[in-house]
Amino acid sequence: MENPSTLLVVQDLQESKWFYVTVLGLDLVSESDSCIKLLAGSHEVLMFQGTLPAINYRHGYNSSSTLVFTVKNLDEKINELRNHGVEFIHDVPNQNDWGRYSAFKDPSGIVHELFEFFS
């Protein structure tokens, strides 16, 4: 298997396009009425229009898929995204063996993470 990509089923395709391109800074590759293809670095993110918001779940404890975006300065990126109205799951960043992270929701309620590796 080669070149994995991520599929997101979103509640509002145009709102999600704006969020992922304008707020998160992903590159728009192509779009049609029903699908958008983005790039996060070299990773493809495909979005299709769904009808319902994401199921609410306890992030980190319930099974789910999450995009993890690595950043050089976690605190700066959190502040930047909060200034765009992004809702974070954690009040303050958490950490594990590899670094610090903080989870946030997209407009459809899909949870992703920002991650800063320890140097």
Side-chain angles (χ1 to χ4, degrees), residues 25-41:
L26 276 64
D27 295 319
L28 178 63
V29 175
S30 65
E31 68 178 300
S32 68
D33 291 341
S34 62
C35 179
I36 292 175
K37 183 192 284 188
L38 305 169
L39 273 180

Side-chain angles (χ1 to χ4, degrees), residues 54-67 89 103-105 108-113:
I55 295 171
N56 196 13
Y57 62 93
R58 196 164 166 217
H59 181 68
Y61 296 94
N62 298 119
S63 295
S64 66
S65 296
T66 299
L67 289 174
I89 305 295
F104 63 94
K105 290 185 179 183
S108 296
I110 301 169
V111 177
H112 302 302
E113 290 185 354

Side-chain angles (χ1 to χ4, degrees), residues 5 10 15 31 38 40-41 44 51 60 74 80-81 99 107 112:
S5 59
V10 298
E15 179 183 35
E31 68 178 300
L38 305 169
E44 287 185 347
T51 57
L74 181 61
E80 176 187 324
L81 294 182
H112 302 302

Side-chain angles (χ1 to χ4, degrees), residues 1-118:
M1 292 186 286
E2 295 180 13
N3 303 322
S5 59
T6 299
L7 170 64
L8 301 175
V9 179
V10 298
Q11 190 173 6
D12 182 317
L13 196 58
Q14 290 306 308
E15 179 183 35
S16 295
K17 176 180 129 180
W18 178 84
F19 178 80
Y20 283 88
V21 172
T22 305
V23 176
L24 296 184
L26 276 64
D27 295 319
L28 178 63
V29 175
S30 65
E31 68 178 300
S32 68
D33 291 341
S34 62
C35 179
I36 292 175
K37 183 192 284 188
L38 305 169
L39 273 180
S42 61
H43 184 82
E44 287 185 347
V45 177
L46 308 171
M47 288 192 297
F48 286 91
Q49 178 77 39
T51 57
L52 299 172
I55 295 171
N56 196 13
Y57 62 93
R58 196 164 166 217
H59 181 68
Y61 296 94
N62 298 119
S63 295
S64 66
S65 296
T66 299
L67 289 174
V68 177
F69 298 98
T70 57
V71 297
K72 292 182 181 179
N73 187 312
L74 181 61
D75 299 310
E76 283 181 11
K77 192 54 133 176
I78 289 170
N79 288 333
E80 176 187 324
L81 294 182
R82 280 193 174 135
N83 287 335
H84 279 94
V86 174
E87 176 189 350
F88 278 82
I89 305 295
H90 309 116
D91 292 329
V92 296
N94 292 316
Q95 70 179 48
N96 60 26
D97 292 342
W98 305 293
R100 299 170 58 232
Y101 63 94
S102 190
F104 63 94
K105 290 185 179 183
D106 82 349
S108 296
I110 301 169
V111 177
H112 302 302
E113 290 185 354
L114 299 175
F115 194 89
E116 177 186 1
F117 282 98
F118 291 135

